[in-house]
Amino acid sequence: MNDLRAVNKAAAAKAPAPAIPDAQTVTEVKHWTDRLFSFRVTRPRSLRFRSGEFVMIGLPDDNGKPILRAYSIASPAWDDELEFYSIKVPDGPLTSRLQHIKPGDQIILRPKPVGTLVLDALLPGKRLWFFATGTGIAPFASLMRDPDTYERYDEVIMMHTCREVADLEYGRQLVASLPDDPLIGEFVEGKLRYYPTTTREKSERMGRITDNLKSGKVFADLGIDGISPETDRAMVCGSLAFNMDMKEILEGYGLREGANSDPAEYVVEKAFVG
Ligand code: A2P
């Protein structure tokens, strides 16, 4: 009896820490700047999502309690793994920890994708605009790799504004890789246009998306007449202030905000910033 109790006690002492629920394993981490990184994790077999949706991901705190935040899935629906793109906030409850993950580490991923930046929330049209600031490019990194995007639209324009040139690099490399991608290359060819700008460092193209739309510079540069509700659809993802300004501009062109249950001409979602 005593022996058995001793054996049980010893076994309990040796037992591994309780497994993290909904754990996925980190497979790759890439640091783009001292404020930006991307990472890939294993994908739960049962997880189905629509390009542009987000899931809750996180890490346990010191007491084992999960710290979870909404992250757009940056990888396309056909990818075996999931990719995320994140800012690093030194005192951010999650990103101060998350920025230190390494391949082999585990993160929490709640497999319930949701979101409004989906093709189904837009009415059919000719041209699709993606407007992003900072890490707001993440949902579009997924949508730009989805064949459905190019089957539904003749032309796709990715506008991305960041403070500095290095902040654009994740999106720039992704866009550059698409024409040669064995799976998606043929869909993208000749349909995707990329319009990156910086606001605080000199580069080829400069200025806020909002200012470049209002001045007409974007349209002059791209050889487009303008944005109209008959032909154009838009998705917006950035800071709250950016989203509000973009809503006003798009409504000024006559576009109406759509939702999953009520598709229209544009949709908006806030980029994660914590
Ligand atoms: P700016 O440098 O002029 O503030 P942040 O790093 O602050 O999230 O900003 C990311 C990018 O989004 C920056 O280039 C910033 O330009 C731009 N931005 C911030 N707020 C707005 C806004 N309300 N409208 C358009 N662009 C914005």
Side-chain angles (χ1 to χ4, degrees):
M1 187 76 165
N2 279 344
D3 281 349
L4 191 59
R5 229 179 274 145
V7 168
N8 280 342
K9 217 171 157 189
K14 269 197 222 144
I20 300 176
D22 291 331
Q24 295 301 323
T25 305
V26 176
T27 58
E28 195 183 311
V29 183
K30 200 159 177 184
H31 293 271
W32 296 91
T33 69
D34 56 1
R35 290 187 64 237
L36 294 165
F37 71 116
S38 61
F39 55 97
R40 294 173 69 85
V41 304
T42 52
R43 175 172 174 176
R45 269 168 186 241
S46 58
L47 179 66
R48 297 274 172 277
F49 67 95
R50 293 179 296 173
S51 298
E53 287 186 315
F54 64 84
V55 286
M56 302 301 290
I57 66 170
L59 289 170
D61 69 10
D62 292 339
N63 302 313
K65 200 168 154 271
I67 313 171
L68 297 170
R69 295 289 183 274
Y71 268 83
S72 289
I73 301 173
S75 47
W78 48 261
D79 201 328
D80 290 340
E81 295 181 339
L82 298 174
E83 183 176 307
F84 299 96
Y85 182 50
S86 179
I87 196 157
K88 307 175 197 176
V89 182
D91 52 1
L94 178 60
T95 61
S96 61
R97 292 165 183 262
L98 196 63
Q99 63 180 288
H100 300 296
I101 53 168
K102 303 219 158 19
D105 288 352
Q106 298 209 311
I107 66 154
I108 306 165
L109 189 149
R110 300 270 191 256
K112 293 193 179 59
V114 285
T116 54
L117 298 181
V118 292
L119 296 170
D120 291 341
L122 294 175
L123 293 170
K126 285 204 162 63
R127 190 159 46 212
L128 178 60
W129 296 80
F130 295 144
F131 298 110
T133 58
T135 56
I137 195 171
F140 307 132
S142 176
L143 283 154
M144 280 194 285
R145 288 184 267 189
D146 186 338
D148 211 16
T149 301
Y150 306 96
E151 276 168 0
R152 293 194 196 202
Y153 296 93
D154 298 337
E155 194 176 7
V156 179
I157 300 171
M158 175 75 244
M159 289 191 70
H160 188 203
T161 297
C162 294
R163 294 182 184 195
E164 296 175 6
V165 174
D167 304 336
L168 292 166
E169 195 55 18
Y170 170 78
R172 197 192 65 73
Q173 284 191 20
L174 174 67
V175 171
S177 74
L178 292 180
D180 297 326
D181 188 293
L183 280 168
I184 175 91
E186 60 175 301
F187 295 94
V188 177
E189 197 70 65
K191 283 196 160 188
L192 177 63
R193 304 180 77 179
Y194 177 51
Y195 195 103
T197 58
T198 54
T199 50
R200 302 198 192 185
E201 185 185 5
K202 200 165 165 20
S203 70
E204 204 178 315
R205 281 192 175 140
M206 296 197 57
R208 289 179 161 198
I209 289 173
T210 43
D211 294 338
N212 287 332
L213 285 170
K214 283 192 259 185
S215 69
K217 183 175 185 323
V218 175
F219 306 126
D221 287 347
L222 295 176
I224 289 171
D225 284 344
I227 291 180
S228 91
E230 282 75 41
T231 49
D232 295 79
R233 304 292 173 257
M235 293 190 177
V236 181
C237 189
S239 64
L240 197 57
F242 172 69
N243 289 0
M244 304 260 285
D245 291 350
M246 281 305 302
K247 278 174 86 143
E248 200 180 316
I249 291 173
L250 294 174
E251 305 248 338
Y253 296 139
L255 276 59
R256 294 164 305 137
E257 185 167 2
N260 273 290
S261 55
D262 184 19
E265 289 92 25
Y266 80 90
V267 280
V268 183
E269 207 158 74
K270 196 170 154 290
F272 168 64
V273 284

